């Protein structure tokens, strides 16, 4: 992989991670367009590296929220912070299950299958369309909702299914306030990404080819920097804009991807 290609993909990751348009799907489309013919395992490795970068940018942007959560946890009381943290843990369970038992099957989808990404983007478009019709409320994420949102997050591990789109839409359809749904969506993925990195490091699965280290490093920096800016103003866009706009976007890009897969 060329350094310039890695930077482009890093910027794509940073810009699309916080919008309901599927960052992994856009990465796969970007790899296909740029001519990345990596085997699925290498392709997934680069995707994990970029997601790790945006997870760090999320921590920077939400540092005050995370600090308040940690302070509440160390009070060792059943307070709002402890309850929120437990909900995060509950939401992680489905994705952990998929990651432990279906990792090889999941990796097979990260090999530049443009048509598959296109079809999944259409699924995202439909989900966002129906979520846009949901009424605004002031409800918080409940423990039961946290698990259901976690199921949608595990399904969104497929490229083309927007993680933020799936989790925010599921929350909204369950009656959760959009602002609270967005906050929960962005925070719930951080421990999963770090857990994935830690697991692969211990298992020796994250091995970096010397020829690709520079490119991966460049992609990491690009995703981190782009993520810092995107997470600052795009979160507000998710909260204030109608999900139908993103639904239309995913529908158009999905059709283009399917056409590209057949005729490109």
């Amino acid at each position: 992989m060329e350094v310039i290609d890695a930077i482009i993909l890093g910027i794509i990751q940073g810009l699309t991670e916080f919008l309901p348009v599927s960052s992994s799907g856009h990465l796969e489309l970007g790899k296909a367009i740029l001519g990345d013919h990596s085997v699925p395992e290498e392709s997934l490795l680069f995707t994990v590296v970029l997601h790790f970068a945006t997870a760090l940018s999320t921590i920077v942007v939400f540092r005050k929220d995370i600090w308040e959560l940690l302070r509440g946890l160390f009070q060792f009381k059943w307070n709002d912070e402890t309850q929120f943290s437990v909900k995060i843990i509950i939401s992680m369970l489905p994705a952990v299950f998929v990651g432990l038992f279906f990792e090889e099957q999941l990796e097979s989808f990260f090999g530049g299958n443009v048509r598959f990404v296109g079809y999944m983007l259409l699924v995202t478009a439909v989900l966002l369309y129906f979520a846009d019709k949901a009424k605004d409320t002031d409800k918080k994420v409940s423990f039961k909702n946290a698990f259901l949102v976690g199921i949608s997050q595990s399904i969104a591990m497929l490229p083309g299914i927007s993680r933020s789109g799936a989790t925010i839409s599921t929350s909204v359809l369950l009656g959760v306030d959009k602002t609270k749904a967005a906050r929960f969506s962005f925070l719930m993925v951080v421990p999963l990404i770090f857990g994935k990195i830690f697991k692969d490091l211990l298992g020796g699965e994250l091995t970096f080819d010397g020829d690709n280290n520079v490119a991966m490093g460049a992609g990491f920096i690009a995703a981190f920097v782009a993520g810092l800016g995107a997470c600052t103003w795009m979160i507000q866009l998710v909260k204030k804009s109608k999900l139908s706009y993103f639904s239309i976007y995913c529908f158009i890009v999905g059709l283009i991807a399917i056409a590209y897969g057949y005729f490109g």
Side-chain angles (χ1 to χ4, degrees), residues 19 45 61 127-128 130 197 246 258 261:
L19 285 179
L45 171 61
V61 174
L127 182 61
L128 292 173
F130 283 108
I197 297 291
F246 301 109
I258 293 171

Side-chain angles (χ1 to χ4, degrees), residues 22-249:
S22 179
S23 58
S24 61
H26 278 71
L27 282 177
E28 291 303 302
L29 295 178
K31 292 171 188 176
I33 294 173
L34 293 173
D36 175 21
H37 301 295
S38 301
V39 297
E41 290 79 5
E42 294 173 352
S43 183
L44 182 60
L45 171 61
F46 186 63
T47 301
V48 170
V49 169
L50 297 188
H51 276 85
F52 181 57
T54 49
L56 287 179
S57 67
T58 304
I59 289 176
V60 173
V61 174
F62 281 100
R63 59 188 180 278
K64 292 182 179 179
D65 297 73
I66 294 174
W67 174 245
E68 289 299 320
L69 285 175
L70 292 176
R71 287 180 58 186
L73 279 174
F74 283 105
Q75 291 178 6
F76 301 104
K77 298 179 180 179
W78 190 242
N79 50 31
D80 290 341
E81 291 79 13
T82 301
Q83 292 180 42
F84 188 88
S85 299
V86 172
K87 292 172 185 176
I88 292 290
I89 295 173
I90 292 174
S91 73
M92 293 169 51
L93 297 179
V96 170
F97 176 81
V98 172
L100 289 176
F101 296 101
F102 298 98
E103 185 173 12
E104 292 184 4
Q105 292 86 340
L106 183 63
E107 288 177 352
S108 65
F109 291 103
F110 287 83
N113 191 336
V114 176
R115 274 183 293 173
F116 179 82
V117 172
Y119 286 122
M120 293 302 99
L121 281 170
L122 294 185
V123 173
T124 297
V126 172
L127 182 61
L128 292 173
Y129 174 80
F130 283 108
D132 189 57
K133 303 299 181 182
K135 296 180 179 180
D136 290 331
T137 69
D138 59 354
K139 295 182 180 179
K140 298 180 180 180
V141 177
S142 67
F143 293 99
K144 177 182 177 181
N145 290 348
F147 183 74
L148 295 175
V149 172
I151 293 176
S152 67
Q153 178 171 247
S154 66
I155 297 174
M157 295 169 76
L158 295 171
I161 300 291
S162 167
R163 193 205 63 81
S164 62
T167 54
I168 292 174
S169 295
T170 301
S171 297
V172 171
L173 289 171
L174 291 171
V176 178
D177 172 72
K178 288 183 179 179
T179 300
K180 295 181 176 66
R183 177 173 178 264
F184 188 79
S185 171
F186 294 131
L187 288 175
M188 67 187 287
V189 73
V190 173
L192 270 180
I193 293 177
F194 279 96
K196 168 67 175 174
I197 297 291
F198 186 70
K199 171 181 174 293
D200 289 348
L201 283 174
L202 288 181
E205 298 174 21
L206 281 185
T207 56
F208 295 85
D209 186 346
D211 295 334
N212 288 325
N213 283 352
V214 174
M216 285 197 176
F220 177 90
I221 294 173
F224 177 73
V225 174
L228 283 177
C231 190
T232 300
W233 62 271
M234 285 188 179
I235 289 175
Q236 296 301 320
L237 191 60
V238 170
K239 294 177 182 178
K240 297 178 180 180
S241 296
K242 291 186 176 181
L243 294 176
S244 59
Y245 296 151
F246 301 109
S247 174
I248 295 172
Y249 174 82

